[in-house]
Amino acid sequence: MLCIHNTQTDPYFNLAAEEYLLKNFKENIFMLWQNEPSIVIGKHQDVWAEVNLKFVQDQQIKIARRFSGGGAVYHDPGNLNLTFIETGQIMQTDKYTIQIMNFLKTLGVHVEVDERKGLTIGGFKISGSAQSIHKNRYMHHATLLFSTDLDRLVTSLKSTSRQAPEKTGGKRSTFVKSVRSPVTNISAHLPASISIRHFKKALLYYFTINNPGIQDYSFTQADLEAIYRLKERKYATASWNFNTYTL
């Protein structure tokens, strides 16, 4: 397994990196990354039904569409993203959910799994996940709310529109609707206060020692050029992010 500590915070680059790794590598991959303030919606969602567009535009929060399904989520530097990619007949997503739960347990945080495979503390969500498949490659990615601005999260995801305007091009007649859940930050439930930097360091160490044979990997120049190309042609475009792209 390759371990990539991706320090890029541009959501368009990071989502392009996921698709690039899914489609162009053979090795199993674990990637840890963060985004600047952004709304990341599922592949089959309607931006207007999910996002408070006026607030997001006023706050200069980016809108990005990912390659996987699922619901809309808010990202900022207080949120960590974990991506797992495997080659095989079927992906054992529960394996990584259990590892995340066990990692949090080492910090004194006990979580439960909800009916949508999200992680909760006392009924409040701290992690959601989504999956996608390309040929015999499987991707599972999950969020971890550590010290996210929860007020901005809630306001950003409170849509003020009833339906998408004609600019969507009418290419989809149905969309996946997000299921809203009350949320909390992991930092509020730690027995002792730590920074997100120390939390991230502990998480990287945990996944390194619990996945035998894992090797650190950094993007090569060729990787970066391919990812930036995919970003500019797809993930940073209005046609992809606002539903006029052929999904």
Side-chain angles (χ1 to χ4, degrees):
M1 173 178 277
L2 303 180
C3 176
I4 303 173
H5 180 199
N6 174 13
T7 58
Q8 295 268 1
T9 59
D10 175 5
Y12 306 129
F13 175 92
N14 290 331
L15 295 173
E18 284 193 313
E19 182 177 340
Y20 171 75
L21 293 169
L22 177 68
K23 293 184 175 180
N24 294 279
F25 278 59
K26 295 180 180 179
E27 298 88 349
N28 292 347
I29 292 170
F30 165 55
M31 183 169 71
L32 182 65
W33 48 287
Q34 292 164 280
N35 277 336
E36 61 192 76
S38 51
I39 300 293
V40 180
I41 66 172
K43 183 176 183 179
H44 304 293
Q45 291 199 289
D46 171 17
V47 172
W48 286 267
E50 301 296 333
V51 181
N52 184 335
L53 286 172
K54 184 179 187 310
F55 178 80
V56 165
Q57 290 165 355
D58 289 346
Q59 296 293 313
Q60 298 183 317
I61 298 170
K62 292 181 177 178
I63 297 174
R65 184 183 298 276
R66 62 181 181 268
F67 188 68
S68 64
V73 290
Y74 173 81
H75 288 191
D76 67 11
N79 172 71
L80 293 179
N81 301 286
L82 299 82
T83 301
F84 304 95
I85 299 174
E86 288 187 357
T87 299
Q89 297 301 312
I90 187 169
M91 186 167 193
Q92 302 172 37
T93 57
D94 288 347
K95 172 176 66 177
Y96 295 116
T97 299
I98 291 169
Q99 285 192 3
I100 294 171
M101 294 175 68
N102 289 340
F103 162 69
L104 292 172
K105 193 181 297 183
T106 67
L107 300 178
V109 179
H110 297 272
V111 300
E112 296 180 340
V113 182
D114 66 18
E115 65 274 11
R116 292 181 298 278
K117 299 297 180 75
L119 299 181
T120 63
I121 301 174
F124 290 82
K125 196 168 185 175
I126 55 100
S127 176
S129 63
Q131 298 77 36
S132 61
I133 303 171
H134 175 72
K135 297 181 179 178
N136 66 333
R137 296 276 281 171
Y138 295 81
M139 181 172 72
H140 171 85
H141 48 192
T143 57
L144 278 178
L145 295 175
F146 182 80
S147 56
T148 287
D149 186 330
L150 298 183
D151 289 335
R152 290 185 94 196
L153 180 155
V154 171
T155 305
S156 296
L157 296 175
K158 191 178 293 182
S159 172
T160 56
S161 302
R162 291 179 179 269
Q163 60 185 9
E166 290 301 317
K167 68 177 70 176
T168 60
K171 292 191 176 183
R172 291 189 62 85
S173 58
T174 59
F175 297 90
V176 174
K177 197 77 177 69
S178 294
V179 178
R180 303 299 180 201
S181 303
V183 294
T184 187
N185 278 314
I186 294 167
S187 59
H189 302 273
L190 291 169
S193 177
I194 62 171
S195 68
I196 192 168
R197 183 173 67 87
H198 285 93
F199 180 78
K200 182 163 57 172
K201 185 176 179 180
L203 191 152
L204 278 168
Y205 177 73
Y206 181 88
F207 275 90
T208 298
I209 65 173
N210 283 281
N211 289 281
I214 196 167
Q215 300 176 1
D216 289 337
Y217 182 84
S218 297
F219 290 127
T220 65
Q221 187 60 36
D223 292 334
L224 291 171
E225 289 174 1
I227 294 168
Y228 278 116
R229 198 157 49 240
L230 183 57
K231 166 193 164 180
E232 295 302 325
R233 292 178 179 176
K234 181 176 181 180
Y235 284 95
T237 66
S239 59
W240 170 255
N241 292 315
F242 288 85
N243 278 328
T244 57
Y245 194 98
T246 303
L247 298 178

